[in-house]
Structure formats: structure tokens, C-alpha cells
Amino acid sequence: MGRFLRSTGAIALAVTVLTGCATVPADPDGTLERVQGGVLRVGVTENAPWVELSDGGDPSGTEPALILEFAERLDAEVEWTPGSEATLAEALEAGELDLVIGGFVEDTPWTEFGASTRPYVEAGTAEGNDKHVMLAPLGENAFLVALETFLDEQAVS
Amino acid sequence: MNPRFGRTELPERQAKALRKAIRFEWGTLAFLAVAITMVYLVMGSSQAMKAAWIEDLLSLAPPIAFLLAVRLVNKTPNPKYPYGYHRSVGVAHLVAGVALFTMGAFLIYDSATGLITAEHPPIGSVVLFGQTVWLGWLMMGAMALTIPLPIYFGRVKMRLAEELHDKVLYADADMNKADWMTAAGSIVGVAGIGLGLWWTDAAAALFIAASILSDGFKNMKAAITDLMDTRATTFDDGRPHPDAAKVDAYLESLPWVARAGSRVRDQGHVFHVEAFVVPHRGMMPTLTELLDARDGCIDLDWKVQDIVLVPIDELPEEVGGPDRSRQSERNR
């Protein structure tokens, strides 16, 4: 009996690990799955040249260009939501947004509201180098890793 | 010359155990230095990994305390420290216990808050040899590497702690057990995150914190009671130490002794024994008889070293005498 239980347990574990590999890490709230072939809800806040907003038109700048390409890869439509950093961070935490961009840097104060990506580009400023990041929903790790993998492949300068 | 605990030159067997314990503690420190660096590099924002890392940091305390204490107790008693330096072991034990307890309490608060406010821990990726890899895999790998050695260290130290009657070493063996269980717990926590279960991480951290807290409480209590001169117990505080009964039985076997009873307190490695001896009526012992009795007690066990023989008319209450009979006050 003991041996039976042990081998069943081992098989169950192996199955979990094998089927898990494809989906590890997974999103507790299924963000990546929902966005694929759906809508990518992006919060944008003005911060030239990373994000530039114009009246009536879609946002432009380095980051919106990147996001459009990311969305294309996920076969998703982008829905832009402009706002201040604070309102966008709160919307991200509440699950109303999938991504917030606006030239955020590595030591952004919003990490309690969203998960910052690894820095994807360094930009020289008067004070030194700024390492730029984007904000994803907290704990949606499949989505976060997909975004980071995408950003790794870009040669941003 | 063999190492000493105060005036006691250790018997060959214990001297060997002590040398081995010192080697193992240096080994533990080297292992922890590597583990602490490795876990820090992959820690990310996992609660369980943070708990495991803090646990590793705290694990430094017992080996350091042990290595300091064996140096200190090597000194012989002097006019300023008439009882020698043995208590440094008790102080080290207390420091380790309080540190563990405090950290356990802090971690329980921290991870319970995470659970209640439903914090979803983000674990992103890293670039490794040009590949983007989920950091969780590295976390689990790093934790798995820190499991086998603590299991081995813990087993050896437990044996040496008994041989040397060293409670700091015992606390350290306990800590090694907590170490590898912590590592296993954080693997479960991170694996849970990988499967999309955000709460497993905080739950694993809570479990780890509870085990740290209970180790801390146990050691703090043991250290405090030893410093309070509770009766001497075995190295694991499991039962009263048999040496007290041995001393009494030996003394009562002497022809001039009617009754004997002793107070034994644990000084760290060695015991301080106050043996009260009631001679048979009219058989007041000579100085030689007293000296021989003292040497006989010391020969019973290397741990009996600081012994005082007190001839008296009746045993004090604490060691089996009649009620209201004390030793340090006039009571009739």
C-alpha cells in the first residue's frame, strides 16, 4: 500500500511538473491569456520622449511604439488610458489596466501598486544613467515574463 | 596540551569532540557565507525567499557564539572572575535565542499581513546566458542546493553537543534543522507562485516563521532558566542531569557520611556543585577525608569541576532536608 501510494504520488508530481512547465509561471488572474487575441489596456502618462500625448490622437514616443509591437505579437488591440501616475497606478492595482508606461525608472515609488519590469534600457541624463522600466500588474507573472522576454529582444536606444 | 574549559583539561574523547565541533562550525560559517550570497542574488520579491534569507543570516549567530565562547571559557578563574568564564556560553545561548525569537515574530507579522492584504508577489525573469529565464527556477534551484549540508551538519553537531554538554552547539544543530526545512518550505512557496497560486508564498513564509519562533522560544527559555541557576539538565534540557544523583550516591557511600544532597548548576559546559554532607554522629571528617571525598566527586565526570563540600548538621530543604531548613540563613 505504502509503495502504491508513493509511486502514485511520484507520478502525480511528475505529471504536475511536466504539464506545469508550459505554463510556469502562471497568472493568478489570467492576464496573459485574456490579452492574447483580446485587448491590452495600457495606462499612459506624459513623459517625453518616452511617452508623448497629443489631443485626440494616439500616444506617441519610444514606449507606445514598443507596446504596439508587443500587442501585435500577442494579437491584441491596444486601448490607451491617459492619466496621472497616481491614478494609473491605482487603476493597475485594481485590475483595470494591464500595463502602465510613462518613462518610469528603476527606483519608481509605485512598486507597491505594480510589478516593475527589469530595466530594458539605460538613458544618460544630467545626474547619471536612468534605467527605464514599465509597470505590470502585481503577481501576474506569466504576463510579466512575456513582457520582459519581448523587451529583451528589442534593441532600444 | 588538550583544550580546556576553565581549569578542566578535557579528557581525550571530549578534546577530540571539541576539535571536531570547532572544525564543523568553521565549515558552517563558510557554507552560510556562500548560501547567503546565493539566496540574496535570486531573492526577488518572494516572502518565503526573504524569510529563508533572514533565517540564513540568523544562523550565523550560533556558530559565531560557539567559537567565541570556546575561546573565552579557555581562561582560568581569577580574582575578578572567581567562577571562571563558563557563563559566556549561557550568554551566547541567550543572545542566539532572543535573536531567533524576535525574527520569528517579525516574520509572522510580515507574512500574515501579506496574506490578509492579498499581496500578489511578482517574480519576473532574468537573462541567463542570453536566455530569458523565470527567476523562480533559480530560486528553487538555489534553495535546493542549501538543503543537504545543513542536514549533515545538524546530525553531527547533535552528537557533539551531547558529548561536550554544549547547549549552544545544540541550539545550532536545531537551527540547521530549521535551515533545511525553511529551504524546502520556500521551494513549495515559489513553486506555488509558478502555478499561479499567489498565496502559497506567504503561507510558506508563515510556516517557516512559526518554526523560527518556536526554536527561538525554546532556546530563549532554556538559556534564561540556565542563567537563573535552574537545576542542571541534560544537553537537550530533556531531564535532570544524572551527575547530581551520582555525586550524592558517591558521597553517601563514604563511611563517615550519613546523608548527602547537592545543588548543581550548569555553568555552560561544566557544573558548579555545592554538596551538603551530614556526617554520622561523632564522626566529624578529617581534612584528608574531605579532600579525598572532593577528588572522588571530580573523578565521577569531567563536568564536575567547581565543587564545594559543606559539612553540616542537617540537609537544606531544597536537597531533601526537612522543611524550613536553609543553608545560608540561621533558621533555628
Side-chain angles (χ1 to χ4, degrees):
Chain A
M1 191 62 193
R3 182 184 293 173
F4 171 74
L5 278 179
R6 265 203 303 281
S7 44
T8 321
I11 291 167
L13 187 69
V15 168
T16 315
V17 169
L18 287 176
T19 55
C21 275
T23 57
V24 167
D27 288 337
D29 296 334
T31 300
L32 183 61
E33 224 171 286
R34 183 170 40 75
V35 169
Q36 273 167 336
V39 178
L40 179 64
R41 301 165 303 173
V42 183
V44 278
T45 190
E46 174 104 51
N47 189 353
W50 307 96
V51 176
E52 293 173 51
L53 300 180
S54 59
D55 288 336
D58 277 347
S60 57
T62 325
E63 290 185 341
L66 281 170
I67 293 310
L68 282 173
E69 208 173 317
F70 178 56
E72 194 175 324
R73 182 172 301 193
L74 295 177
D75 196 19
E77 296 277 317
V78 179
E79 183 188 296
W80 305 104
T81 307
S84 72
E85 287 191 9
T87 50
L88 294 178
E90 274 167 26
L92 182 68
E93 196 196 21
E96 294 156 12
L97 292 175
D98 303 317
L99 193 57
V100 174
I101 55 174
F104 293 102
V105 289
E106 192 180 35
D107 58 352
T108 168
W110 301 110
T111 49
E112 263 179 55
F113 295 83
S116 102
T117 62
R118 253 183 299 117
Y120 69 94
V121 66
E122 282 190 32
T125 64
E127 293 92 43
N129 268 1
D130 271 349
K131 296 179 170 181
H132 283 265
V133 301
M134 302 180 181
L135 295 176
L138 277 172
E140 298 296 284
N141 295 320
F143 181 75
L144 178 63
V145 170
L147 178 61
E148 285 179 338
T149 311
F150 167 79
L151 290 173
D152 283 342
E153 291 160 14
Q154 311 303 310
V156 186
S157 58
Chain B
M1 193 186 82
N2 279 336
R4 317 165 61 95
F5 287 155
R7 285 199 199 288
T8 317
E9 191 171 331
L10 289 182
E12 192 52 49
R13 196 180 146 91
Q14 273 72 27
K16 234 175 98 184
L18 181 64
R19 279 192 292 266
K20 191 168 175 188
I22 291 173
R23 261 202 326 274
F24 263 80
E25 293 296 34
W26 280 111
T28 308
L29 287 180
F31 163 76
L32 285 174
V34 174
I36 286 167
T37 315
M38 185 171 71
V39 174
Y40 178 75
L41 288 176
V42 300
M43 183 161 63
S45 51
S46 156
Q47 276 293 327
M49 292 293 287
K50 185 169 138 200
W53 184 69
I54 290 173
E55 228 256 321
D56 281 348
L57 274 185
L58 280 171
S59 314
L60 287 171
I64 292 174
F66 175 84
L67 291 168
L68 280 178
V70 290
R71 287 189 152 238
L72 275 176
V73 297
N74 216 350
K75 297 187 183 181
T76 48
N78 53 49
K80 197 169 169 202
Y81 289 92
Y83 296 99
Y85 290 77
H86 302 292
R87 287 277 199 220
S88 55
V89 177
V91 174
H93 193 192
L94 183 63
V95 169
V98 171
L100 265 177
F101 183 82
T102 314
M103 203 42 77
F106 167 74
L107 286 174
I108 282 191
Y109 169 77
D110 208 31
S111 39
T113 317
L115 266 187
I116 292 164
T117 57
E119 278 168 21
H120 291 207
I123 300 182
S125 60
V126 282
V127 176
L128 208 63
F129 309 115
Q131 289 281 318
T132 307
V133 180
W134 185 49
L135 185 56
W137 294 120
L138 294 194
M139 291 180 175
M140 289 191 269
M143 288 329 282
L145 287 178
T146 63
I147 289 181
L149 269 181
I151 294 183
Y152 172 60
F153 283 158
R155 282 172 175 235
V156 175
K157 284 179 199 164
M158 194 64 84
R159 223 176 48 234
L160 295 173
E162 179 166 17
E163 193 77 67
L164 292 170
H165 189 75
D166 191 306
K167 291 180 182 180
V168 179
L169 207 53
Y170 177 73
D172 192 29
D174 245 9
M175 183 83 97
N176 285 140
K177 201 176 90 193
D179 276 350
W180 73 257
M181 285 171 60
T182 304
S186 28
I187 290 177
V188 171
V190 173
I193 293 182
L195 297 172
L197 309 169
W198 61 268
W199 50 266
T200 52
D201 188 49
L206 200 58
F207 172 77
I208 295 164
S211 107
I212 297 175
L213 187 72
S214 108
D215 270 355
F217 182 75
K218 198 174 80 181
N219 280 296
M220 195 167 73
K221 187 177 153 202
I224 289 173
T225 49
D226 276 347
L227 289 174
M228 287 275 299
D229 289 338
T230 175
R231 77 173 157 196
T233 54
T234 50
F235 76 109
D236 57 359
D237 293 295
R239 58 199 163 85
H241 200 280
D243 273 1
K246 264 200 244 171
V247 166
D248 292 348
Y250 165 75
L251 288 173
E252 286 185 347
S253 77
L254 298 176
W256 57 270
V257 178
R259 292 201 64 197
S262 29
R263 294 192 300 197
V264 181
R265 53 181 158 178
D266 194 338
Q267 295 273 85
H269 297 108
V270 294
F271 294 150
H272 178 201
V273 182
E274 288 163 332
F276 298 94
V277 193
V278 183
H280 283 298
R281 185 178 286 273
M283 287 185 74
M284 197 54 201
T286 64
L287 201 52
T288 321
E289 278 172 322
L290 277 171
L291 292 179
D292 285 348
R294 181 200 65 189
D295 293 346
C297 290
I298 291 176
D299 288 342
L300 289 173
D301 188 337
W302 64 272
K303 286 194 290 297
V304 177
Q305 87 154 347
D306 202 336
I307 183 163
V308 180
L309 247 50
V310 188
I312 202 161
D313 62 338
E314 92 184 350
L315 289 183
E317 184 188 348
E318 316 78 270
V319 295
D323 281 1
R324 293 186 316 282
S325 169
R326 316 265 195 275
Q327 67 302 313
S328 53
E329 49 188 82
R330 278 189 295 187
N331 38 62
R332 282 183 304 277

